[in-house]
Amino acid sequence: MKFSLMNDQSSNAVQTRVRFAPSPTGYLHLGGARTALYNWLWARKNDGVFILRIEDTDAERSTTESVQEILDGLHWLGLNWDEGPYFQSHNLKKHSEAASGLLATGNAYRCFCSKEDLEAQRNDAEKQKVAFMYDGRCRKLDQDEIENRLRNNDSFVVRFKVPRDSDSTIVFDDAVYGRMEKRAADIEDFVILRSDGSPLYILSNAVDDTLDRISHVIRGADGLANTPKQVLIYEALGVVPPIFAHMPLTLDNKKAKLSKRVHGESVTIAYYKNRGFLPWALCNFMALLGWSGPDGQEFFSRDELIKAFDLSRINRANSIFNYTPGDSKNWTDPKAIHFNSTYLRTMPIEELFPYVKEELVAKELWNESYETGQKQWFQKTIDLIRSRFLTLEDFSSRGRAYFSDDFEFDEKAVKKNLKCDDRLAFFLPELADEIEQLEDYNSSALEEVFRSFADKKEIKAGLIINAARTAVSGSSVGPGLFELLDIVGKTRVVNRLRSAKGLVNK
RNA sequence: GUCCCCAUCGUCUAGCCCGGCCUAGGACACAGGCCUUUCACGCCUGCGACAGGGGUUCGAAUCCCCUUGGGGACGCCA
């Protein structure tokens, strides 16, 4: 009794069901990932269901590698789906059945016009710079002729019969763009079934969304102009259309739509993973490309973003993803870097740990003891060096000297800090001797050694401080010297100071 | 060519729906300063926009129209 009451109540509220429906014809790129993110956010916000549907009905271009890349990308971003992946190709039969239904109810008709013929017409129209629209001549075919041609095995496509009453208008309310109206007269009788009997996207997509009971279609604004056609299909099928929410497009700095084909790997999710991005930093950044919170907050935890996110606050204007391929500094949008570096240096060390580990493992700098005996040291080291890092890659490049003796010396640093004064050739070994004697090896003891050494030799402390920095880390920049020396450790510091002699004279 | 959408600092944007609180706010980037053994971080300051033109109104970034600019869609692609 109680049970059925609960059921009744829950059936009153329509469950939020959204989907991300990429076609597996290439990489998962920023635009797609952002669409996935917005859908995911909306599902989570409404305790709804996030569905992954692979629209693989373009057999020519779909690949299994691409499917894998999409799965990997979403997984890495942390955008977990609740149902799927479904494959659109598995539903092909349902789609053509829907077309048959539309044929039976008089909402569609067979068109025997040849592809070549129509293409020629289209080309002509283009040459004359006039709009081409199929004239619907096959609408008028009488039953006898149709049967004749069918007996004859003439090939045909199925076209949707767009209402032709003079003032017929298709209306829908977009959650982002508001009320959209389009005159039916501006829509041609579009093809829904190919001559080989296979369905087209415009049909398959609407049928699948119906079958999956999708409540909200959140997709790129490039779908906006197609929506009236789909609304027509829903209506002809006798189904209430989902709520549409079109999101503005992301453009490149030349204002061209971001696409895998022209932008290649530099806009792919895999690339950001390889270049040392934290997945959530990327999500947080992407969320702000076309959406903003009510109070100006920019950094959001997952829960915060889910709570703050709302379709009504999605912007209508396209945004530019401001990156310059090939530019080492602006290889991606500077604001994306800002999000990554801020997360990198403020997130709890324990959360950062696995990412740094992965990076060091990949670059063969990982030592199992970082997770066991030297764990404390390792965490302290990460914490010390991360404040000037931008991506995870920095831990293995700029941070190399902390994890390996096999690191490079920056030429400019050597010139500036070691070759600047010949006396360093014996100052540094002397310092090494003094440091070796230290019983309590820590940053304040080290500072004491350096300060008194400078007094003794009547030199500026900066001379040996900067020299030691370069001798020990290979660089002219980095953390405060005494913390640096403390972290690198007595043995390595002494060795590096002694061998730096060679760099001074050379 | 036709249809549709959009328009605030270099970029992401707040404000627009419900005109006055906007000498237009924030963030990134950039420039300068402070801090400092270096470089970052941090803090402070600066630079910097309502596309243009008409209306409506006492008053317009906000409402209306036009122009311009940008984008998207027009396929037997998805």
Side-chain angles (χ1 to χ4, degrees):
Chain A
M1 205 43 193
K2 242 181 192 173
F3 207 88
S4 73
L5 187 70
M6 279 172 64
N7 266 353
D8 282 347
Q9 279 181 340
S10 63
S11 69
N12 280 339
V14 178
Q15 184 183 217
T16 297
R17 292 173 63 85
V18 296
R19 79 326 192 254
F20 174 51
S23 58
T25 56
Y27 315 97
L28 174 64
H29 66 116
L30 262 336
R34 190 179 62 122
T35 305
L37 173 65
Y38 280 29
N39 275 283
W40 179 86
L41 285 168
W42 190 242
R44 294 292 166 264
K45 185 185 183 71
N46 296 293
D47 293 317
V49 178
F50 178 48
I51 298 165
L52 176 60
R53 184 169 71 224
I54 306 290
E55 304 210 322
D56 58 343
T57 46
D58 184 348
E60 306 241 316
R61 294 198 296 144
S62 295
T63 66
T64 51
E65 294 77 34
S66 179
V67 172
Q68 196 53 51
E69 170 131 357
I70 290 165
L71 263 38
D72 290 347
L74 292 178
H75 183 73
W76 179 70
L77 288 168
L79 305 179
N80 52 313
W81 55 94
D82 309 302
E83 289 183 21
Y86 298 144
F87 289 86
Q88 187 161 63
S89 58
H90 297 178
N91 260 353
L92 250 29
K93 226 182 133 192
K94 297 256 173 57
H95 306 158
S96 36
E97 279 168 15
S100 307
L102 292 174
L103 219 37
T105 54
N107 285 296
Y109 61 94
R110 294 181 182 85
C111 168
F112 293 92
C113 297
S114 82
K115 195 175 177 178
E116 294 73 26
D117 218 36
L118 290 169
E119 258 166 35
Q121 287 180 46
R122 209 184 326 269
N123 287 340
D124 277 356
E126 197 156 329
K127 258 183 225 153
Q128 291 169 46
K129 302 215 174 203
V130 293
F132 173 75
M133 199 180 276
Y134 173 66
D135 58 12
R137 63 183 70 171
C138 291
R139 271 186 183 222
K140 306 177 198 84
L141 262 31
D142 61 40
Q143 202 55 35
D144 285 350
E145 180 158 13
I146 293 172
E147 271 160 33
N148 249 325
R149 303 192 73 154
L150 286 177
R151 258 195 304 275
N152 213 13
N153 267 335
D154 285 358
S155 80
F156 63 87
V157 299
V158 175
R159 287 184 185 272
F160 189 90
K161 199 184 281 180
V162 176
R164 290 298 174 220
D165 329 87
S166 55
D167 53 352
S168 186
T169 302
I170 298 106
V171 181
F172 66 95
D173 287 303
D174 191 275
V176 174
Y177 286 90
R179 170 151 294 210
M180 305 291 296
E181 299 187 19
K182 193 170 172 87
R183 287 188 307 275
D186 291 325
I187 304 174
E188 74 170 356
D189 287 345
F190 51 96
V191 178
I192 55 177
L193 222 56
R194 296 186 185 86
S195 49
D196 67 0
S198 63
L200 268 90
Y201 159 81
I202 194 89
L203 205 222
S204 299
N205 188 258
V207 172
D208 282 347
D209 282 342
T210 303
L211 259 23
D212 291 336
R213 307 190 326 276
I214 299 301
S215 61
H216 302 255
V217 170
I218 304 168
R219 45 142 74 139
D222 44 354
L224 201 53
N226 274 327
T227 308
K229 291 181 188 170
Q230 293 195 308
V231 170
L232 243 22
I233 293 176
Y234 283 110
E235 282 170 356
L237 251 22
V239 177
V240 178
I243 292 166
F244 292 95
H246 287 92
M247 39 198 281
L249 263 16
T250 307
L251 276 22
D252 71 8
N253 51 15
K254 294 186 192 70
K255 298 201 171 171
K257 184 167 86 158
L258 231 49
S259 79
K260 30 202 173 195
R261 198 167 273 183
V262 319
H263 298 93
E265 74 151 3
S266 55
V267 295
T268 64
I269 297 306
Y271 186 61
Y272 282 80
K273 180 178 187 290
N274 291 338
R275 291 297 305 264
F277 258 72
L278 295 159
W280 183 250
L282 188 58
C283 285
N284 196 152
F285 168 76
M286 289 192 298
L288 263 25
L289 239 36
W291 174 86
S292 60
D295 57 6
Q297 183 180 348
E298 295 205 302
F299 280 85
F300 294 88
S301 69
R302 289 177 158 244
D303 288 345
E304 285 172 334
L305 190 58
I306 288 165
K307 200 166 172 221
F309 184 76
D310 193 72
L311 298 179
S312 70
R313 289 197 62 87
I314 295 177
N315 196 223
R316 277 182 281 267
N318 294 339
S319 57
I320 291 171
F321 181 64
N322 198 9
Y323 80 113
T324 314
D327 181 332
S328 62
K329 191 163 187 296
N330 294 310
W331 64 275
T332 186
D333 194 306
K335 197 153 181 174
I337 297 266
H338 170 249
F339 273 91
N340 200 56
S341 58
T342 302
Y343 273 109
L344 202 65
R345 59 180 177 246
T346 57
M347 71 198 281
I349 291 286
E350 313 85 70
E351 282 175 39
L352 180 61
F353 183 92
Y355 295 108
V356 179
K357 176 180 175 182
E358 200 186 339
E359 172 65 21
L360 294 187
V361 167
K363 303 292 161 62
E364 297 183 344
L365 289 170
W366 177 253
N367 184 323
E368 283 306 323
S369 69
Y370 295 164
E371 217 160 11
T372 54
Q374 291 193 79
K375 184 162 184 177
Q376 272 215 317
W377 171 84
F378 184 69
Q379 292 194 332
K380 232 176 112 182
T381 303
I382 294 180
D383 199 25
L384 180 69
I385 60 184
R386 67 172 171 167
S387 77
R388 52 219 92 203
F389 287 176
L390 302 177
T391 70
L392 293 166
E393 274 188 318
D394 289 331
F395 284 99
S396 63
S397 55
R398 297 210 270 152
R400 193 177 175 93
Y402 294 86
F403 307 113
S404 168
D405 285 325
D406 177 26
F407 61 91
E408 291 191 353
F409 284 84
D410 176 56
E411 267 186 53
K412 279 185 190 158
V414 171
K415 199 171 169 191
K416 182 179 160 210
N417 292 336
L418 292 174
K419 291 188 193 301
C420 60
D421 193 323
D422 291 345
R423 291 174 296 171
L424 288 169
F426 49 88
F427 283 164
L428 292 177
E430 276 182 51
L431 268 167
D433 292 342
E434 288 195 26
I435 290 168
E436 199 171 31
Q437 302 302 316
L438 236 37
E439 283 188 13
D440 266 340
Y441 184 84
N442 59 51
S443 60
S444 54
L446 284 159
E447 176 153 19
E448 179 57 32
V449 169
F450 274 75
R451 300 279 179 212
S452 61
F453 188 89
D455 285 348
K456 202 161 54 192
K457 305 288 185 185
E458 295 185 330
I459 53 173
K460 282 171 98 176
L463 177 68
I464 47 176
I465 285 174
N466 289 323
R469 180 195 316 288
T470 301
V472 173
S473 72
S475 169
S476 63
V477 302
L481 179 74
F482 310 113
E483 288 168 291
L484 185 159
L485 298 184
D486 185 20
I487 275 292
V488 172
K490 193 172 175 177
T491 313
R492 292 196 291 179
V493 165
V494 168
N495 289 340
R496 290 177 189 182
L497 286 176
R498 282 179 180 154
S499 59
K501 187 181 172 180
L503 293 163
V504 178
N505 296 325
K506 218 163 49 183

